[in-house]
Amino acid sequence: MKLSEAIEALCVATRADGRSPETVTAYQRKLKPLVAFLGDIPVEQVTIDDLRGFVVHLRDRPTRWANHPKHQERAGGLSQFTIASHVRSVKRLFNWLEAEGALEHNPARRLNTPQPRRREPKAADMRDVLALLQTTDGGSAADRRDRVIILLLADTGCRLGGLCGLRVEDINLDAAWARVREKGDQDRLVFFCPPTAEALRAWLAVRPLDQGPWLFVSLGNKARGKLSPSGVQQALRRRAKAAGVTGRVNPHAFRHAFAREFLLNGGNLASASGMM
């Protein structure tokens, strides 16, 4: 079995196990450079020296962000976190091949995963969140949509994928909850406050009806249909620029902010973990 065939087989098995399409895509993206580095050779020919050489290659590989002042802990070009994610995918591939009986000897068994220094998670500042909301007071369809996006992220701590995957039928305005699908096919309920419910009603009143069942849809003339994760991130960046906000306003920062506010208001860590 060649490397490319092994990667494809792993992806099929991963999807069959109920993991999300995003997980499958991540394996494909992280393992593609391995094939480019070693060539599409039979998996039986891969050695620990080959894999260590691949890690060295990643450390020396330049990126377009290599000289960016905000990036720390650079190893050559790729960050330690990125290198570690590649190594975890490589180990996953060969561990899976060994478990499936496709390999008698696992060359990744002695491959060490880099342990980058973990920084304290950065949460969105609630003053920045309020500043973003102020940019949505115009009343246009884009204003109403983006207001709901900001409020749902801050109010529920849902993931970006769960937010983009919301359908209109997943919203219960009377009971003030939404059903989000995260981590594959797992569903959970998230609850929101009256201001978020009010913003949802305002958005649903102007939401285009010809773009499918999705709660959040694109509003441009060229892009139609379901709003993508990158579309949400672009909307947040536009709002941040308009508000003059320079702090973190990415969706993950909203999740950190949600957890922080929950704990500061008397919640416990176990409950916060279960809600996120």
Side-chain angles (χ1 to χ4, degrees):
M1 182 186 299
K2 293 186 176 182
L3 267 176
S4 62
E5 296 170 337
I7 293 168
E8 179 62 26
L10 170 65
C11 290
V12 170
T14 300
R15 196 70 185 103
D17 289 342
R19 303 294 297 276
S20 70
E22 289 77 13
T23 299
V24 173
T25 300
Y27 283 146
Q28 292 171 331
R29 184 174 66 253
K30 298 298 182 180
L31 292 170
K32 183 178 179 180
L34 180 66
V35 180
F37 178 73
L38 295 179
D40 198 11
I41 63 176
V43 292
E44 299 86 356
Q45 294 182 11
V46 179
T47 67
I48 181 62
D49 289 336
D50 290 331
L51 298 181
R52 286 171 177 160
F54 175 60
V55 175
V56 172
H57 165 72
L58 293 176
R59 291 185 182 279
D60 294 338
R61 186 172 122 186
T63 72
R64 57 177 171 162
W65 303 284
N67 297 318
H68 198 291
K70 290 186 178 180
H71 289 280
Q72 304 296 324
E73 276 197 352
R74 284 295 175 186
L78 296 178
S79 73
Q80 286 284 72
F81 288 98
T82 301
I83 293 172
S85 68
H86 279 282
V87 172
R88 284 193 295 270
S89 294
V90 169
K91 291 178 72 71
R92 168 62 176 147
L93 172 65
F94 286 96
N95 289 344
W96 177 79
L97 287 170
E98 183 182 32
E100 291 288 306
L103 277 181
E104 294 185 3
H105 172 68
N106 181 353
R109 187 178 297 278
R110 292 184 289 120
L111 185 65
N112 292 325
T113 303
Q115 299 297 323
R117 176 176 58 84
R118 293 194 173 274
R119 306 181 187 91
E120 184 180 352
K122 298 294 182 67
D125 189 294
M126 294 312 295
R127 291 170 296 185
D128 289 343
V129 175
L130 293 175
L132 294 183
L133 288 172
Q134 288 178 353
T135 71
T136 65
D137 290 339
S140 69
D143 288 332
R144 296 187 187 193
R145 183 199 65 184
D146 293 354
R147 186 176 187 85
V148 176
I149 287 172
I150 295 167
L151 286 171
L152 276 177
L153 287 172
D155 205 9
T156 68
C158 68
R159 290 178 170 82
L160 179 57
L163 179 89
C164 293
L166 281 171
R167 301 168 185 261
V168 174
E169 64 184 21
D170 295 326
I171 304 295
N172 188 320
L173 288 173
D174 294 331
W177 56 254
R179 186 183 304 278
V180 297
R181 296 170 183 84
E182 299 174 334
K183 293 185 176 180
D185 298 326
Q186 297 182 25
D187 290 4
R188 69 183 179 100
L189 295 184
V190 296
F191 296 87
F192 46 82
C193 297
T196 303
E198 181 182 349
L200 275 164
R201 289 189 177 92
W203 162 238
L204 289 172
V206 299
R207 172 187 165 276
L209 300 178
D210 60 347
Q211 297 192 48
W214 310 107
L215 176 63
F216 296 114
V217 296
S218 299
L219 297 173
N221 293 327
K222 295 181 179 180
R224 307 287 289 176
K226 179 182 177 182
L227 186 65
S228 67
S230 63
V232 171
Q233 293 169 329
Q234 290 172 12
L236 292 176
R237 284 194 291 268
R238 286 195 298 269
R239 296 293 171 180
K241 183 177 181 179
V245 168
T246 57
R248 291 174 180 258
V249 293
N250 58 75
H252 204 63
F254 279 92
R255 281 174 53 77
H256 284 305
F258 168 81
R260 180 190 61 198
E261 293 298 311
F262 178 78
L263 295 173
L264 289 176
N265 283 282
N268 61 70
L269 188 59
S271 296
S273 178
M275 294 169 67
M276 298 181 71

